[in-house]
Amino acid sequence: MKFLTVAATLATSAFALTNHVKENVRSNFGEDKLIALSKGEITDVIHQILHDHGVDSVGHQDGKMHFKLSPNALEALDSEGVLYHDHTEEFISNMERNLNSENFVCSEGAEACASQQLDEFYSSYQDLAALEARFEGFAASNPSITSLDSLGKTFEGRDQTLLWIGDDGSKPIVFYFCGIHAREWITPMFCTYMAEALLDTSNEASQELLKNYTFAITPSANPDGYVHTHEVDNAWRKTRQPNEGSRCIGTDPNRNYATGFGGPGASANPCSDTYHGEFPFDQMCTNNIKTFTDNFASRIIHVNDVHAYGEYWMSPFAGTTNLPVDVAAHDQCNKAVYDAIKANSGLEFKIGPVATTIYEASGGAVDYFYEENAIIHSYTYEARGGGRTGLAGFQPPTSNIMPSNIEMYEGLYAAMKCIWDLEVEGNDPVPVPCEDSKSNCNSFSCFQEPNSCKETCGLCSEVAEENVPETPTQTVVTEQADLGPLVGAVVFLGIGVAAVGAIMAVMVHKMGKQQNQDAVANEGKLNHFELN
Ligand code: 0X9
Ligand code: ZN
């Protein structure tokens, strides 16, 4: 693969920058502490304290939430006598150990880093210049099926690079963007790998995907923040746009969307890592994403806002524990992803709606795409990290990069098969009947808690009656996750539905969904968000 020569201005000495970051990990953490609380330990009082102080949840692992707390927030917890596990030292020393490990970040300059062979490229983290150079290489080497684009400019004037793959103007679009949270370094590596895997003509699964879908991929959706993590503070999460009247910089881009803006899980404090911004989409990088999804809403069949860490694949809603009308479809694809990843790496990604699987996070991307753009298959990955990889899960040891890429690509492939089956073939999911036979319990809840489904899922009465299939003979989708992509590709090949037909099907389904949601909202069965 030939790579374009990168402008000398891009070839900044990553070595010097990386060393600068290495020296600053501890001081950038300041007086903050990292604590772990299990979900069951988070009482209403604790929840309120975390909310009042705009506490930043940094990730999640093994049933525990990891929170970064300011001294004031800690004092509030202490005054309530809350017991917590202090992981600050472990977190910082893991980050330092990783940053000091050999070749943690490729430091040979953008051009040299970008032109490495696949194994070598993914054996280190890559800075923005190297990622961009690699994307330029993808475009240069595959001119007939790619085009390099941008979602728009960021506050600091950078492009949110976007690569189109296989766009013929009609196929349904699959939009993945990574790195919206700057420090989640393992995610741009995935978006880059994803593009590379799709362009690999020897990868049959990829070839099948490209027959049916157009891909749009943004490796670094928050490039200003990403550069900041490489140059100054590698734990930086937010954008770099200043806040008027505050000394604190940046907004959490995943709290800056209009849907549920300012609700639970978002902070009004500009110094918080979950600061929602002054008004929806006041961040250039989120506004650019919104413009893109608004423009292509009728063609986007699946969007994924890729995060780290904790090993999750999640569906709407994030801002409310209410369930969306498409819960059965989400459950079906969630489970397909779970199965595929487990078959590949053995990791058991947790699945389900964001709000009930991790925590409420309003004003986020997933809900906006689902609610406003009517993209049914709006999901979010949280890549592997934390736990066994050391608490520094945003940037786990580099030996995780390729396994993470591969398992997430397997998950993506399984999702695309599931989505095709539901949206193009029209095989609506069949909810599992509850024991009372009057209502339904979705498979996800039964699957997660097989022995206590009816008591704990809370869905039996919630699943809207319109999800009950009219004919009991409706097709149930057979799981194929254990077949693996190559064998699965043969099945997928058999679908053979024309691209134009597919996009029509997406549009018709979306119209139906919108009408359905309107009807449900009117009947007051679901509490949809107050839209700002
Ligand atoms: O808090 C968040 O924004 C996400 N977790 S993270 O550790 N990556 O910050 C969870 C919110 C869920 N929504 C999306 N992941 N889009
Ligand atoms: Zn994130």
Side-chain angles (χ1 to χ4, degrees), residues 181 184 237 307-308 382:
H181 284 149
E184 296 167 11
R237 165 185 169 99
H307 288 251
E382 295 271 358

Side-chain angles (χ1 to χ4, degrees), residues 173 175 292-293 296-303 375 506 510:
I173 296 168
F175 176 41
F292 179 80
T293 60
F296 289 101
S298 64
R299 274 188 68 197
I300 298 176
I301 193 167
H302 165 40
V303 56
I375 300 168
V506 173
K510 282 183 181 199

